[in-house]
C-alpha cells in the first residue's frame, strides 16, 4: 500500500474517534487530530492544543549578485531566525496554509517597495481538484499508441497524447481520474502526481506499450534501459545537416527514422552537392525526393522503429540507376547510437564490412548534436473561485487582472505560463519550484503554492483585502493564522523576480 493510501485509511478510521482531538478546518476533510499527531494530509498537526502548519513558510531571497534571481530554500538547512542578508525578500505560498473554508483572506498578503514600485504579493496554498501533470519524455522509442491508458500501481492515471519532435508525451491526472473513478484510482492518481511534482521517480506502464520510469530532470528508463539522448532530428533533417560531412567519403547514406527516413542521394541536400544516383530502393511510402514515411512500425529499435536489421527496409538495387559492385553504404539512426557500413557485392547485395575510420567522425557528430534525454514534468491546474476569493472579494476581478497582465502569477516563486481564454489555467515546470513544494489532501486533490503579485494601487482598486496587507518584517516576526516556522533561502536560482517590466506596463502592451 502506498504512503498516501495508508494515510487515507488512517484518516477514515480515525475521524470517527473524536475524543480529545482538535478538528482541523484547513481543507474539506476536516480531520480530528490528536496531540502530537498530524492530519491525513501530513501538512497540519496538533501541537500542544493548536493546529500548526508543519512545513515552514518559505521566503525567497533575491540575490543581487545573481542578477535579480531568487533563491529557493535548502530543505536540509535550519533557519536560525537571523536574516541571511539585507537584500529583497519574496514570501512564497510554500508552507503558508490555505484560504479554506474560502471566506477567509489569503494567509499572507505582503507589501514591499521594489525599485520605487509599491507591490503586494498574495500567497496561498491552493487545493487543486482540477489539476494534472504533463510529462515530456525525450525519446524516439515507442512508448505506446496515442490515447493508450497510462497506469501506475495498476490503476489508470492518464493517457498517451500527441508525440512532439524527439519526445513522447503523457497527460496524467485530471479531475476524472482523481474523483470520477474508483476510490483506489483517485488515491493512486493523487499519489502519482504528487511524487512527480516533487521530483520523485514513478514507474508507469502503458497499455500495449512500454514500462517507463519517469523522474523530473532525469533520463527516462524505458523497459529497464536508460535512455541516453534524444534524436538530432528526423532522418530527413539529419541528411540536410550532415550531408557535407559524408560527401566524398561514402556513396550512399540512409538515416533510419520512424517518422521520416532520409536517403542522401535522392534528398535535395545531396542533389545540391552533386550526389550521384545509386539505384537504391527503400521499402516505404515516398513523400518527396529522399524522404520516406512508414518504413516500419514504431518500436524500440533503430530510430524508434521495430527494425533490428536495417537492411530489411531495402529492396533490390537497380544497376540501370547507378548501382554497382563495391558501392559503399552507411546506415545510421537519428541518434547515432546504431550504425553499420556495407558494400555491394557482384550480385548487388549489401554485405556488412568493418566500420571504416573515415566515417567515425561523422557518426560522432550526430551523437554530439543530440541533447541528453530528460523527463520534463509540468504541473497544470486551474485557480478556481474559492482560491481567488482569498485574494479579492469579487473573484472575477482577479481573473481579469491576470488576463490583462496586471497581476503576475508564480508557483513557489517560479514563473508560470497562463493559458489564454477564460479562468486562470496555468502550467509550471516543477524543476523551477523548490523541492517538496507540493502537498495533497485526501479528497483527493493536490496542494500547490500560488502567489499573485501586483501593484498596491491595482490591488486596492480590484477590491482586495487591503486591511490584511502586512510587511515582510511583520510576517517574519509574527507568522500567520497557523503557528509555523519561517525559513529563508541561501542558494541561487534561475527564477527572475519581481516582474517589474510587466507590472510597470500595467498590461498596456
Amino acid at each position: 500500500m502506498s504512503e498516501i493510501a495508508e494515510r487515507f485509511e488512517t484518516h477514515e478510521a480515525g475521524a470517527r474517534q473524536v475524543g480529545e482531538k482538535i478538528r482541523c478546518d484547513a481543507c474539506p476533510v476536516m480531520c480530528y487530530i490528536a496531540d502530537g499527531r498530524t492530519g491525513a494530509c501530513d501538512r497540519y498537526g496538533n501541537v500542544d492544543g493548536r493546529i500548526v502548519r508543519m512545513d515552514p513558510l518559505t521566503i525567497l531571497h533575491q540575490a543581487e549578485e545573481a542578477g535579480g534571481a531568487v533563491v529557493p530554500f535548502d530543505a536540509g538547512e535550519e533557519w536560525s531566525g537571523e536574516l541571511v542578508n539585507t537584500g529583497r525578500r519574496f514570501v512564497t505560498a510554500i508552507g503558508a496554509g490555505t484560504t479554506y473554508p474560502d471566506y477567509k483572506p489569503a494567509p499572507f498578503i505582503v507589501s514591499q517597495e521594489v525599485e520605487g514600485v509599491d507591490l503586494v504579493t498574495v500567497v496561498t496554498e491552493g487545493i487543486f481538484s482540477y489539476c494534472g501533470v504533463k510529462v515530456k519524455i525525450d525519446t524516439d522509442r515507442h512508448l505506446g499508441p496515442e490515447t493508450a491508458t497510462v497506469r501506475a500501481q495498476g490503476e489508470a492515471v492518464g493517457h498517451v497524447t500527441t508525440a512532439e519532435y524527439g519526445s513522447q508525451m503523457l497527460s496524467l491526472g485530471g479531475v476524472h481520474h482523481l474523483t470520477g473513478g474508483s476510490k483506489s484510482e483517485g488515491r493512486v492518481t493523487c499519489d502519482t502526481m504528487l511524487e512527480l511534482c516533487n521530483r520523485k521517480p514513478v514507474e508507469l506502464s502503458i497499455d500495449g506499450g512500454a514500462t517507463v520510469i519517469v523522474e523530473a530532470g532525469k533520463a527516462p528508463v524505458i523497459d529497464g534501459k536508460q535512455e541516453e539522448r534524444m534524436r538530432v532530428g528526423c532522418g530527413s533533417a539529419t541528411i540536410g545537416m550532415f550531408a557535407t560531412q559524408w560527401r566524398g567519403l561514402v556513396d550512399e547514406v540512409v538515416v533510419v527514422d520512424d517518422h521520416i527516413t532520409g536517403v542522401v542521394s535522392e534528398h535535395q541536400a545531396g542533389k545540391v552537392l552533386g550526389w550521384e544516383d545509386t539505384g537504391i530502393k527503400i521499402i516505404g511510402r515516398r513523400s518527396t525526393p529522399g524522404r520516406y514515411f512508414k518504413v516500419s512500425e514504431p518500436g524500440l529499435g533503430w530510430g524508434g522503429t521495430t527494425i533490428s536489421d536495417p537492411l530489411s527496409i531495402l529492396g533490390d538495387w537497380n544497376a540501370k540507376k547507378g548501382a554497382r559492385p563495391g558501392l559503399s553504404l552507411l546506415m545510421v539512426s537519428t541518434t547515432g547510437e546504431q550504425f553499420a557500413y556495407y558494400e555491394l557485392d557482384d550480385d548487388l547485395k549489401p554485405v556488412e564490412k568493418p566500420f571504416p575510420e573515415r566515417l567515425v567522425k561523422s557518426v560522432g557528430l550526430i551523437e554530439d548534436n543530440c541533447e541528453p534525454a530528460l523527463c520534463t514534468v509540468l504541473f497544470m491546474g486551474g485557480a478556481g473561485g474559492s482560491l481567488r476569493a482569498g485574494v479579492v472579494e469579487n473573484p472575477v476581478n482577479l481573473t481579469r487582472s491576470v488576463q490583462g497582465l496586471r497581476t503576475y502569477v508564480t508557483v513557489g516563486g517560479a514563473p508560470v505560463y497562463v493559458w489564454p481564454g477564460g479562468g486562470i489555467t496555468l502550467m509550471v515546470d516543477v524543476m523551477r519550484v523548490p523541492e517538496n513544494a507540493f502537498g495533497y489532501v485526501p479528497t483527493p486533490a493536490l496542494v500547490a503554492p500560488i502567489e499573485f503579485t501586483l501593484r498596491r494601487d491595482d490591488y486596492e482598486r480590484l477590491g482586495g483585502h487591503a486591511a490584511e496587507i502586512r510587511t515582510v518584517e511583520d510576517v517574519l516576526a509574527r507568522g500567520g493564522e497557523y503557528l509555523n516556522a519561517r525559513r529563508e533561502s541561501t542558494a541561487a536560482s534561475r527564477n527572475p523576480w519581481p516582474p517589474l517590466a510587466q507590472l510597470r506596463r500595467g498590461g498596456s502592451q
Side-chain angles (χ1 to χ4, degrees), residues 34 56 121-122 173 193 203 232 301 336-337 340 360 414 461 470 485 490 495 507:
T121 298
V122 185
M193 290 198 298
E203 182 175 281
V232 64
E337 292 175 286
V360 170
R461 191 179 305 115
R470 303 164 60 187
T490 57
N495 298 331

Side-chain angles (χ1 to χ4, degrees), residues 298-379:
L300 302 180
W302 281 54
T305 69
T306 58
I307 295 168
S308 58
D309 176 10
L311 296 181
S312 64
I313 68 171
L314 300 184
D316 293 334
W317 293 70
N318 190 338
K320 294 181 179 180
K321 294 185 178 181
R324 66 185 187 281
L327 185 145
S328 58
L329 167 68
L330 167 65
M331 300 192 77
V332 63
S333 70
T334 49
T335 60
E337 292 175 286
Q338 297 96 1
F339 53 88
Y341 174 78
Y342 307 88
E343 292 179 1
L344 297 190
D345 63 12
D346 292 339
D347 296 323
L348 302 185
K349 301 295 184 183
V351 177
E352 186 167 5
K353 300 287 185 179
F355 200 80
E357 183 64 30
R358 68 181 187 274
L359 294 177
V360 170
K361 181 180 177 181
S362 66
V363 172
L365 193 59
I366 295 176
E367 292 183 346
D368 290 344
N369 278 270
C370 294
E371 297 177 82
L374 295 175
C375 297
T376 302
V377 175
L378 300 181
F379 168 78

Side-chain angles (χ1 to χ4, degrees), residues 110-287:
V110 185
S111 71
Q112 63 177 313
E113 185 176 298
V114 180
E115 298 180 21
V117 180
D118 194 2
L119 299 179
V120 169
T121 298
V122 185
V123 309
T124 185
E125 291 182 302
I127 299 174
F128 289 87
S129 295
Y130 283 81
C131 69
V133 168
K134 308 304 178 189
V135 179
K136 172 176 173 281
I137 301 172
D138 297 336
T139 181
D140 265 350
R141 309 199 192 283
H142 182 63
L143 300 184
E146 284 185 14
T147 74
T149 297
V150 178
R151 299 183 185 276
Q153 303 174 42
E155 296 288 349
V157 298
H159 65 274
V160 178
T161 188
T162 311
E164 303 299 342
Y165 201 76
S167 304
Q168 306 295 315
M169 311 291 288
L170 309 180
S171 182
L172 308 180
V175 70
H176 294 297
H177 287 292
L178 281 170
T179 64
S182 68
K183 185 180 295 185
S184 177
E185 179 181 338
R187 292 171 177 173
V188 172
T189 299
C190 185
D191 190 4
T192 299
M193 290 198 298
L194 179 64
E195 295 292 280
L196 287 172
C197 288
N198 282 334
R199 310 187 205 171
K200 304 292 177 56
V202 173
E203 182 175 281
L204 303 170
S205 62
I206 298 169
D207 287 1
T211 296
V212 56
I213 297 176
V214 174
E215 181 178 358
K218 299 291 181 66
V221 179
I222 302 170
D223 285 344
K225 180 182 178 182
Q226 181 171 302
E227 193 78 326
E228 297 296 334
R229 58 182 68 90
M230 64 186 299
R231 66 177 180 172
V232 64
C234 69
S236 172
T238 305
I239 291 288
M241 286 186 281
F242 301 115
T244 55
Q245 304 295 321
W246 295 312
R247 187 73 178 106
L249 299 181
V250 66
D251 297 317
E252 183 66 278
V253 180
V254 176
V255 182
V256 182
D257 179 28
D258 170 40
H259 305 116
I260 307 174
T261 291
V263 180
V264 71
S265 66
E266 301 176 0
H267 196 280
Q268 183 64 14
K271 294 302 184 184
V272 170
L273 293 172
W275 220 285
E276 296 180 358
D277 291 339
T278 65
I280 193 171
K281 169 69 174 177
I282 299 292
I283 300 172
R285 180 158 60 88
R286 187 173 184 265
S287 168

Side-chain angles (χ1 to χ4, degrees), residues 1-15:
M1 183 181 293
S2 71
E3 180 180 352
I4 283 186
E6 290 176 354
R7 300 201 66 82
F8 270 90
E9 297 295 345
T10 300
H11 161 70
E12 290 171 354

Side-chain angles (χ1 to χ4, degrees), residues 1 13 28 42 65 79 86 92 94 96 187 189 197 226 234 243 248 275 291 297 347 387 390 422 464 469 488:
M1 183 181 293
D42 207 24
E65 67 277 8
W79 181 53
T86 58
T92 76
I94 302 171
R187 292 171 177 173
T189 299
C197 288
Q226 181 171 302
C234 69
W275 220 285
R291 303 170 74 249
E297 293 301 315
D347 296 323
L387 186 154
I469 297 176
E488 287 210 59

